[in-house]
Amino acid sequence: MRRHLTGLLCLGLVAVAPPLAAQEFTTLKGHGGPIMGIAVHDRTGQVASASFDNSVGLWQGRKPRWLEGHRAAVVSLEYLGETRLVSGGDDFAAMIWDIESGAYTRLEGHKGKIAALDVSPDGQWIASASWDGAIGIWPLAGGAPTFLRGHDTAVTDVAFGRDSALLYSASSDGTVREWHWQDPAMRPRVVIDQGFGVNRIVLGPDDTWLAYGAVDGATRVIRPETGETLADFTLDRRPILSLAHHAGTGQLAAGDGHGYIMVIDTHGWQIARDFRAMQRGPVWALEFSPDGKMIYAGGLNDVVYGWPVALLSEYDPAGAPEHSFLRAPREMSNGERQFMRKCSICHALTPPPSRKAGPTLYGVFGRPAGSVPGYAYSEILTGSDIIWSDDTIDALFDLGPDHYIPGSKMPMQRITAAQDRADMIDYLRDATAKREN
């Protein structure tokens, strides 16, 4: 009989560092938004998670410790040896953290979100892939970064070769490119041009192979020297959003937009497991434990899940509708539907504190914009004279945040139908009202 996750979730099983002695299904709960990235320390097994709630979670025992400093969603992260970690986010910045103290150094220079990071084998450099079309090379010893340009559109992933002077990059322009980045005379070489955007790349041991996952569902392994295809694991699912490799066990995992995790045996180039990991939504983040016996994943839910790889076939998909934005539309009024689609990932309706990316909307009517204590607002909002009311909320979604409050952190989105805006305002008035206990 298949093991159902519901009972295990109720047990509150949480990963610890060092790793769990028993290999069990694991949930790491505490974030206030979707999970965008995961890193696992190769010695302690500590899990670090990057979330839409603008924070990095460090999971030790039953309670996480938070690294706060990003001004928008955190989407990528990598450990830097024993005591440091680097993260990248939608705020166009990378941040190097001291894990113990929480102190950080902010690395700025990109003009778009930082989609991925990699650390050079010699430990001297960080590479960043940005949606501004550039690759950043940051010296860990300090000093000015180098920016590499050659892709036509967003850079989505980067991977150093075994020689730290060699770098591979993926892009939404459909190419994977090779850079001898320390030699300005050498132009980047196109390894493959597969026609659809490439989301993720992984290099095999000694650069003997390169795996990539693309928007059209392509999941292929190639020789980086020639672009020759070694293996093709493309299935009728798209897009491929995450890749993870465990060199010791020869496992390569791919997560897709349909919620599946495919585990490939790289010794024989065969699919070892194909597991429906998420009940709904994509697999944005994947990583193996240090021994390769556990695989961690994250997606639309605000939970990091971990499964024993050997038992994947025994589990039902995680993430049964725990969140209201995943409920069937017929179960909600039109006003609630509008809120769930446009606002619920970023905003809570309950009293503070909230771990979501935006401030709570509790008591929002009559409240000055930019006034919830403890939330790091953009300057345009803290200096605003806006009072939230039927009229101002209507204008916000009629015009869109980019036009109504230019320069704020709110994502651009509109509700074009006047009745939909009116219904949402009616719903918010009731849902956010302050009530006596």
Side-chain angles (χ1 to χ4, degrees), residues 63-86:
K63 294 183 179 180
R65 187 159 58 87
W66 305 111
L67 300 180
E68 309 277 8
H70 277 286
R71 300 165 187 165
V74 189
V75 297
S76 54
L77 70 171
E78 295 284 342
Y79 277 99
L80 299 170
E82 297 294 309
T83 61
R84 295 188 296 173
L85 178 145
V86 60

Side-chain angles (χ1 to χ4, degrees), residues 48-348:
S49 50
S51 173
F52 196 81
D53 68 4
N54 303 358
S55 69
V56 173
L58 295 175
W59 299 90
Q60 297 171 304
R62 298 184 67 86
K63 294 183 179 180
R65 187 159 58 87
W66 305 111
L67 300 180
E68 309 277 8
H70 277 286
R71 300 165 187 165
V74 189
V75 297
S76 54
L77 70 171
E78 295 284 342
Y79 277 99
L80 299 170
E82 297 294 309
T83 61
R84 295 188 296 173
L85 178 145
V86 60
S87 60
D90 284 2
D91 55 358
F92 305 174
M95 300 178 73
I96 297 177
W97 303 87
D98 181 284
I99 292 173
E100 291 301 318
S101 69
Y104 60 81
T105 300
R106 191 174 174 89
L107 306 179
E108 298 183 301
H110 278 299
K111 305 298 183 185
K113 70 178 283 183
I114 295 178
L117 298 160
D118 197 26
V119 182
S120 63
D122 63 11
Q124 296 186 35
W125 310 94
I126 297 168
S128 54
S130 174
W131 280 21
D132 64 6
I135 300 163
I137 306 290
W138 309 83
L140 269 165
T146 299
F147 290 100
L148 310 176
R149 291 179 172 84
H151 283 289
D152 297 329
T153 55
V155 185
T156 54
D157 206 356
V158 283
F160 279 104
R162 66 179 184 275
D163 176 356
S164 298
L166 183 65
L167 183 76
Y168 292 91
S169 60
S171 171
S172 58
D173 66 11
T175 68
V176 173
R177 304 190 186 213
E178 178 189 81
W179 306 76
H180 294 267
W181 64 271
Q182 291 179 331
D183 185 350
M186 291 194 68
R187 296 178 59 82
R189 178 178 67 89
V190 175
V191 178
I192 57 108
D193 184 349
Q194 76 104 36
F196 289 87
V198 179
N199 288 330
R200 289 289 176 255
I201 55 174
V202 163
L203 269 174
D206 297 322
D207 304 351
T208 52
W209 52 262
L210 182 148
Y212 71 86
V215 171
D216 65 342
T219 311
R220 298 191 180 99
V221 182
I222 62 173
R223 294 191 190 279
E225 303 93 342
T226 63
E228 172 194 358
T229 299
L230 295 174
D232 191 337
F233 299 99
T234 303
L235 302 175
D236 189 22
R237 298 196 293 262
R238 61 190 67 181
I240 304 303
L241 299 170
S242 51
L243 290 175
H245 177 234
H246 188 267
T249 57
Q251 296 178 104
L252 174 67
D256 64 40
H258 291 209
Y260 283 81
I261 299 173
M262 174 173 56
V263 181
I264 297 163
D265 174 8
T266 66
H267 296 142
W269 294 120
Q270 294 181 335
I271 297 176
R273 294 170 180 86
D274 191 29
F275 169 56
R276 180 72 180 271
M278 302 293 181
Q279 180 73 32
R280 299 191 186 184
V283 180
W284 277 320
L286 273 180
E287 193 56 80
F288 285 101
S289 63
D291 60 8
K293 294 181 179 180
M294 292 284 293
I295 190 164
Y296 297 95
L300 194 59
N301 289 333
D302 50 14
V303 180
V304 177
Y305 299 101
W307 298 267
V309 177
L311 300 177
L312 283 179
S313 62
E314 299 185 25
Y315 289 97
D316 286 329
E322 301 169 14
H323 300 293
S324 51
F325 63 81
L326 294 177
R327 284 163 45 205
R330 64 180 177 275
E331 298 176 6
M332 297 181 279
S333 67
N334 182 48
E336 186 178 7
R337 279 198 301 272
Q338 300 303 322
F339 170 77
M340 294 307 170
R341 290 169 177 170
K342 299 292 184 179
C343 312
S344 64
I345 288 182
C346 290
H347 297 282

